[in-house]
Amino acid sequence: MNPLYIHDSLSGEKKEFTPVNPDFVGLYVCGPTVYSDVHLGNCRSFTSFDIVYRYLMYKGYNVRYVRNITDAGHLEGDADINADDKMAKAAKALKLEPMEVAHRYTLGFHKMMDVFNNLPPSVEPRATGHITEQIRMVQDILKNGYAYEVDGSVYFDTVKFAKENAIYGELSGRKLDDLQAESRELKNQGDKRHSADFALWIKAEPTTLQVWESPWGLGFPGWHLECSAMSTKYLGSEFDIHGGGEDLKFPHHENEIAQNCGACGKSPVRFWMHGNMLLLNGKKMSKSIDPETGVSNSVMPDELFEGKSPFFSKPYSPMVLRFLMLQAHYRSPLDLTDEGIQAAEKGYIRLMEGQRALAEMKYEGEEALTSEDQQVNALMERALKDMDDDFNVPKALASLFVLVNKINSFKSGRASVNAISKETFEKLQKFFADFVFVIFGLKDETQGGDEGSSEIVDGLMEFILEMRQSARANKDWGTSDKIRDTLNALKIQLKDGKDGTTWTVNN
RNA sequence: GGUCGCGUGGCCGAGUGGCUAGGCAAAGGUCUGCAAAACCUUGUACAGCGGUUCGAAUCCGCUCGCGACCUCCA
């Protein structure tokens, strides 16, 4: 297996990846808080890590992919622990039980992951299902002296921890001094000794909806705690990769490290991976309402797929969006614009048609080895090498497009497929399909007909194309063009090639 | 205000000391009944100003512009 290099956000360096246990990889990714529908920015993040998951498996690792569902304890606003959390707020607004809210948006989230063709994780633990584990972790942290209880709530003693452990602030580049300086400006400190301290366990108010019994009385867990408790439970106290959006670095992940160290005495993660943001016309996509414009700078997936977003001129399919995401590196911001996604749509179609042409191609005749053979092999190797270089998907994709060029020249007859060996040809066929479908997780939406109706549609299309062919043979251009134009109006595009006519559906 | 990051050809977006990124768009050509598709050819881009170096888009400094985090966000 070729070495894989991964950029670790904690050290800021690209390091060779070696798992804690050979052949096994533990991957933890922060999942959604299920109080509302996911937007496209959320989808980008999960798609980035889906490709990480897929590629690790492609390389032969046995991956345990854990992605949590946050269904409790995620507070709104600043340090005011008396306010409702996100779940409670949504429950009240929708007049539903918190668990109903969680269920509704969990289903929506799963559906959207499926639409984007993101694979389900191996385990999808919920915060509410791991209260015992979280309480135990609070107890461990208390025992180790890094937390204190005040009136039924337990806080992490960030100041003490930071003084004794240089690691605090390393991930987000924050200094304890800066944190102390910030304290003067913040309000609502409540019972906390210091503004940088954060709640591990929060005492319930009489109106709190989700409460559990604990050694400190009725309450609920703090947001950061669930990830620490659940990653430890399913992946151990030290595991390979922890992923999440860039915006979770601070305070969420910083505090997660502190909790794990505070409880177990060691840094939990070998490689921290942070995905960059999806921008909408140059600004971070976000659900919150812009006070100036009164609208949120975000697009919901369905709005995009149905063409209902005011930001876009027409509908775009999920795979076009997935393709757009592939064109940018996961650590770079990606700007979503109408122009950009339109270009992606064409690129996606080109890639898919290349893949299909290759899959249907037959190797005929004698081998006549040329330098083409070497070039094709080099391109395949380079694409894999690029993936091994911190999952450089856009670079690998570039090699695939050079291969599309070669495939097309075989198809059009400009070059002969015999210029490469039969072995290389077969390798290329497998390689290309693996990359497009298995690693990149794309689906071919351009092919006519869905599974259920394909037989009828294919039969009809064959018949129509025969009619057109005979019209053309009789130089009946009126009829042949009418067939072409009518099909075109139905978004079926005909393509006349040297071996007859093919067709695709363009959305 | 503090911390961090970025500024690449018409657009998107890789590259991070010398080696063609790629996609979209545009122009010319080949093919075609016409078109579409496909193929061939065409762009010496790296915010500005200095510096280091044999050599810089790539390293350093300054200036300008943009973004993220510091409060919930993937």
Side-chain angles (χ1 to χ4, degrees), chain A residues 324-339:
Chain A
L324 179 82
M325 291 171 184
L326 298 178
Q327 285 185 303
H329 187 87
Y330 78 92
R331 283 194 286 119
S332 298
L334 171 60
D335 195 10
L336 185 62
T337 61
D338 195 48
E339 213 180 0

Side-chain angles (χ1 to χ4, degrees), chain A residues 2 219 312 349 359 383 444 502:
Chain A
N2 291 322
F312 297 96
I349 291 170
D444 191 352
T502 58

Side-chain angles (χ1 to χ4, degrees), chain A residues 181-248:
Chain A
E182 278 160 19
S183 70
R184 271 172 261 130
E185 294 158 30
L186 290 173
K187 296 175 185 110
N188 278 322
Q189 288 308 306
D191 299 321
K192 288 200 284 184
R193 291 181 192 160
H194 190 280
S195 72
D197 294 354
F198 54 92
L200 297 172
W201 187 264
I202 300 155
K203 182 191 179 181
E205 296 294 314
T207 54
T208 306
L209 295 176
Q210 293 172 291
V211 295
W212 290 268
E213 201 51 80
S214 82
W216 314 282
L218 280 181
F220 59 95
W223 174 41
H224 314 303
L225 189 59
E226 53 166 300
C227 288
S228 290
M230 297 191 294
S231 65
T232 304
K233 171 159 181 158
Y234 296 108
L235 299 174
S237 56
E238 188 189 12
F239 60 96
D240 300 303
I241 303 172
H242 187 131
E246 185 96 81
D247 51 359
L248 292 180

